[in-house]
Amino acid sequence: MRAPEAPAPRSQVTRKDVARYAGVSTAVVSYVVNGGPKKVAPGTEAKVQDAIRILGYRPNAAARALKLGSSETFGLVLPDNSNPFFSLLAHAVEDAAAERGFALLLTNSDGNLAKERRHVRNLAARQVDGVVLASVLFEPDLADLEAAEIPSVLLNHGSESPGFNSVGVDLAAGARLAVEHLIGHGHTNIALAMGTNSGNDFDRREQGWLEALEDAGLSEGQIVRGAFTREGGYAAGLRFLASANRPTAIFASSDMQAIGILRAIHEAGLTVPGDIALASFDGSAEAEFSWPPLTTVEQPVRDMAEAAVAALIGARRGEQPEHRTFPTVLRVRQSCGCAGPAA
């Protein structure tokens, strides 16, 4: 018995073509493509999959979205996808979404509020099923998503925003861990390289730095504010090095800033931690592979991403919004003055 002939080339292969080639009904093809709702015998499923492969059938995503009332897509807005921490975060969100059958649209705001708002409007217009927003503001404007009845979750968000889902860590507690560790090495002149945000909002990492110094009876150290980038850290490092009261230790509010500070210190012919000890915040892979490796406050990226996607799924089911706070971990390496990485 001859196998059915493939149809002549055409603009688009339909589900009927697949059904005819496999010798099954269109309903069976639908069950195979959608993974249900009814089970299909393994042999029949194999015939349908062969037909799909041979004919080059591609399901119509628009038609499926219309039928299901869902695009099966989430949007993600990041402030800087070139930052290794946010790259890691995006990867984790994509994995968490994929496990639940959702694709991810990634956008980058470049730390620009106008660009962030434009991305949010575009995602709302595309009728995505939810938006994960790592905003440049602590209290972003979500009116476009609310008007479109699209659930959202604020990611990498350090405080509760009543009425909205949010996920983050206790920034102040994490900063305290790092600064107290530097104090434990005997440092009394500890500076802060503090990243800035578009709203000029007070960052709780600064609060944690202040609290640790105050509890130890130490005077407030120098603060240099700049971008959460390598360039911002480099500029801060130059200013610290030019100070008449040069700090013996620096806490940087991001790993990228710390990388920039490392360069400034090395260029000055000084050593880390011999001349200046250094600790940072985020826990990116780059912190582990800098020289010396950075002691850093690690955020639980996978847990945060899972919680963000679960919050979107919950919102679609009508669950009440909540703020999820995760603990940080201090990853001790050589930049603080310790001999090696902690076990």
Side-chain angles (χ1 to χ4, degrees):
M1 181 177 178
R2 291 190 309 164
E5 292 183 3
R10 53 193 287 185
S11 58
Q12 184 175 355
V13 176
T14 68
R15 191 169 297 184
K16 286 183 179 179
D17 294 327
V18 175
R20 187 180 303 113
Y21 190 89
V24 299
S25 68
T26 55
V28 170
V29 176
S30 178
Y31 300 152
V32 172
V33 170
N34 298 318
K38 293 185 178 180
K39 291 184 178 180
V40 176
T44 302
E45 181 176 357
K47 287 198 299 182
V48 173
Q49 294 289 9
D50 283 343
I52 289 173
R53 177 179 54 79
I54 292 168
L55 300 179
Y57 171 66
R58 296 291 181 270
N60 187 319
R64 176 179 168 81
L66 186 63
K67 181 178 179 180
L68 297 178
S70 165
S71 65
E72 297 184 312
T73 303
F74 290 143
L76 172 62
V77 185
L78 296 175
D80 181 7
N81 60 7
S82 68
N83 183 317
F85 170 72
F86 285 114
S87 296
L88 189 65
L89 195 57
H91 195 167
V93 172
E94 183 178 17
D95 286 347
E99 287 173 3
R100 293 164 174 82
F102 287 80
L104 189 71
L105 284 177
L106 171 63
T107 63
N108 176 57
S109 71
D110 290 322
N112 181 281
L113 180 57
K115 196 171 182 180
E116 175 182 299
R117 287 173 173 165
R118 185 166 67 251
H119 285 319
V120 169
R121 285 196 300 270
N122 287 341
L123 290 170
R126 289 175 180 272
Q127 287 292 299
V128 295
D129 292 303
V131 172
V132 179
L133 173 60
S135 180
V136 298
L137 296 177
F138 287 139
E139 297 297 335
D141 181 6
L142 301 174
D144 288 311
L145 297 177
E146 291 180 273
E149 298 184 340
I150 296 174
S152 61
V153 58
L154 302 176
L155 182 59
N156 200 37
H157 200 69
S159 59
E160 183 175 1
S161 294
F164 296 96
N165 278 303
S166 53
V167 175
V169 300
D170 188 330
L171 296 172
R176 283 186 62 126
L177 281 175
V179 178
E180 287 171 351
H181 187 78
L182 293 172
I183 292 171
H185 278 284
H187 294 284
T188 58
N189 183 3
I190 303 173
L192 170 66
M194 186 66 240
T196 55
N197 55 72
S198 295
N200 291 318
D201 298 311
F202 182 74
D203 192 297
R204 297 193 180 194
R205 278 165 284 202
E206 183 173 338
Q207 175 187 335
W209 171 74
L210 287 168
E211 289 176 351
L213 296 178
E214 182 179 347
D215 289 351
L218 300 176
S219 301
E220 182 178 324
Q222 301 172 66
I223 302 179
V224 174
R225 304 184 192 279
F228 282 102
T229 61
R230 301 172 184 86
E231 294 81 5
Y234 180 69
L238 294 178
R239 289 184 59 183
F240 287 134
L241 292 171
S243 171
N245 183 28
R246 192 182 75 200
T248 63
I250 300 170
F251 170 59
S253 60
S254 75
D255 291 343
M256 294 302 96
Q257 289 173 296
I259 296 296
I261 292 170
L262 276 175
R263 175 181 170 181
I265 294 173
H266 291 325
E267 287 181 350
L270 302 176
T271 63
V272 175
D275 295 299
I276 300 177
L278 185 60
S280 57
F281 200 102
D282 276 341
S284 67
E286 198 155 336
E288 185 177 0
F289 289 94
S290 65
W291 188 256
L294 289 169
T295 290
T296 183
V297 178
E298 182 178 277
Q299 301 192 62
V301 168
R302 288 283 167 186
D303 292 341
M304 291 163 62
E306 283 285 340
V309 172
L312 288 182
I313 300 294
R316 288 168 54 78
R317 295 171 178 163
E319 297 176 7
Q320 292 300 307
E322 64 173 332
H323 176 64
R324 293 284 308 277
T325 302
F326 290 89
T328 54
V329 175
L330 184 66
R331 295 297 179 194
V332 176
R333 303 187 179 102
Q334 287 96 316
S335 70
C336 62
C338 289

